[in-house]
């Protein structure tokens, strides 16, 4: 298994643009009350940098490894969703919801169905059901069904990420752990959005949402380089 120190040395420099773009977003902190294409660009810029991070590993790598290409596709849909949510007050919230639903389908596909780990699936099902049960009384109209489908999709994505981390059997890698933590942070971010949008104002909601979201996307993007690390290890051996 590749050591974390090796990972930091090899992947860290490629993530510098992402960290800089994230800092730009939090420093400028553009008001959400006046959406613009500039606001959309600043919000999406960290995700664009994660595109570049994956592309830096080479087109051949992305073409030959479906999990990496699906994560890149998920990042592309995420950026489109981010742009829609800039104008959510103008009626584009559902559009953003759809884009992120597709993102979760792509991430689930990237994480795969092995190992199955039904216990993790049951636990994630209980967590997702509990979240929806809490939100249900606050929902109305099409959101009653749309939120249910969305929670099911992100819960499924979380299950597939958690299932990959077999700590008890010592069948895990740093990239699988990265995907797991990233998926959990994504769920925290989206749950905060749901609470703030449908239930009650969440203190510091925007900071919580974006900090956990950017961290989640970075960790999931990092999980895509697992195949590359395995190839490098085989070459060195």
């Amino acid at each position: 298994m590749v050591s974390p120190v090796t990972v930091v040395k090899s992947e860290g420099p490629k993530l510098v643009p992402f960290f800089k773009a994230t800092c730009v977003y939090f420093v400028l902190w553009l008001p959400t009350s006046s959406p613009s294409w500039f606001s959309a660009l600043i919000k999406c810029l960290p995700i664009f940098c994660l595109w570049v991070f994956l592309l830096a590993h080479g087109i051949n790598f992305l073409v030959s490894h479906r999990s990496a290409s699906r994560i890149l596709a998920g990042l592309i849909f995420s950026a489109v969703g981010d742009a829609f949510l800039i104008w959510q007050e103008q009626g584009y919230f559902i559009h953003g919801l759809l884009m992120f639903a597709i993102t979760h389908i792509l991430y689930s596909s990237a994480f795969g169905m092995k190992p199955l780990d039904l216990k993790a699936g049951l636990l994630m099902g209980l967590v997702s059901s509990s979240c929806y049960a809490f939100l249900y009384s606050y929902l109305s109209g099409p959101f009653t069904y749309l939120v249910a489908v969305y929670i099911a999709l992100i819960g499924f994505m979380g299950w597939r990420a958690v299932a990959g981390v077999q700590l008890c059997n010592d069948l895990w890698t740093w990239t699988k752990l990265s995907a797991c933590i990233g998926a959990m942070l994504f769920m925290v971010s989206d749950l905060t959005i749901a609470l703030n949008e449908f239930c009650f104002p969440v203190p510091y909601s925007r900071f919580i949402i974006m900090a956990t979201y950017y961290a989640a996307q970075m960790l999931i993007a990092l999980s895509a380089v697992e195949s590359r690390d395995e190839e490098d290890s085989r070459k060195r051996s």
Side-chain angles (χ1 to χ4, degrees):
M1 181 165 51
V2 181
S3 71
V5 174
T6 302
V7 172
V8 171
K9 288 182 178 179
S10 63
E11 305 300 336
K14 300 186 188 78
L15 285 170
V16 169
F18 165 78
F19 289 120
K20 289 183 176 179
T22 303
C23 288
V24 168
Y25 173 83
F26 285 108
V27 169
L28 291 181
W29 203 246
L30 297 170
T32 56
S33 57
S34 54
S36 66
W37 285 107
F38 180 68
S39 297
L41 173 63
I42 295 301
K43 185 182 181 184
C44 295
L45 194 56
I47 306 304
F48 294 158
C49 292
L50 291 177
W51 297 4
V52 175
F53 167 75
L54 290 180
L55 290 170
H57 291 83
I59 298 297
N60 291 334
F61 167 71
L62 293 172
V63 171
S64 59
H65 296 89
R66 291 182 178 179
S67 60
S69 61
R70 287 168 184 172
I71 287 176
L72 176 60
L75 288 168
I76 292 172
F77 277 99
S78 293
V80 177
D82 281 331
F84 275 130
L85 291 181
I86 286 288
W87 286 278
Q88 61 179 306
E89 299 300 328
Q90 284 71 37
Y92 287 96
F93 182 80
I94 292 180
H95 298 72
L97 198 69
L98 175 61
M99 293 299 102
F100 280 107
I102 295 172
T103 294
H104 296 317
I105 293 172
L106 288 164
Y107 286 169
S108 299
S109 178
F111 298 150
M113 291 301 296
K114 295 181 180 180
L116 192 60
D117 197 346
L118 292 177
K119 290 182 180 179
L122 179 60
L123 176 61
M124 200 57 62
L126 289 172
V127 171
S128 299
S129 299
S130 299
C131 290
Y132 182 70
F134 179 82
L135 293 169
Y136 181 77
S137 61
Y138 295 94
L139 302 173
S140 61
F143 284 111
T144 304
Y145 310 102
L146 291 174
V147 171
V149 173
Y150 187 87
I151 288 178
L153 289 174
I154 194 172
F156 185 82
M157 185 273 290
W159 169 33
R160 298 321 310 146
V162 171
V165 184
Q166 299 289 302
L167 292 174
C168 296
N169 299 326
D170 200 28
L171 297 175
W172 64 280
T173 62
W174 71 267
T175 44
K176 289 178 180 178
L177 186 60
S178 176
C180 176
I181 297 172
M184 295 301 99
L185 288 174
F186 216 136
M187 294 179 74
V188 170
S189 179
D190 281 357
L191 178 59
T192 307
I193 290 176
L195 292 173
N196 196 64
E197 183 74 19
F198 301 113
C199 304
F200 47 78
V202 177
Y204 308 107
S205 60
R206 185 179 172 191
F207 177 81
I208 295 170
I209 291 165
M210 297 311 298
T212 53
Y213 170 69
Y214 286 142
Q217 294 283 38
M218 180 196 71
L219 290 168
I220 291 173
L222 270 172
S223 74
V225 306
E226 177 175 15
S227 300
R228 181 62 172 267
D229 290 338
E230 290 173 352
E231 289 175 0
D232 292 343
S233 295
R234 285 195 295 267
K235 289 177 182 177
R236 284 194 294 271
S237 60

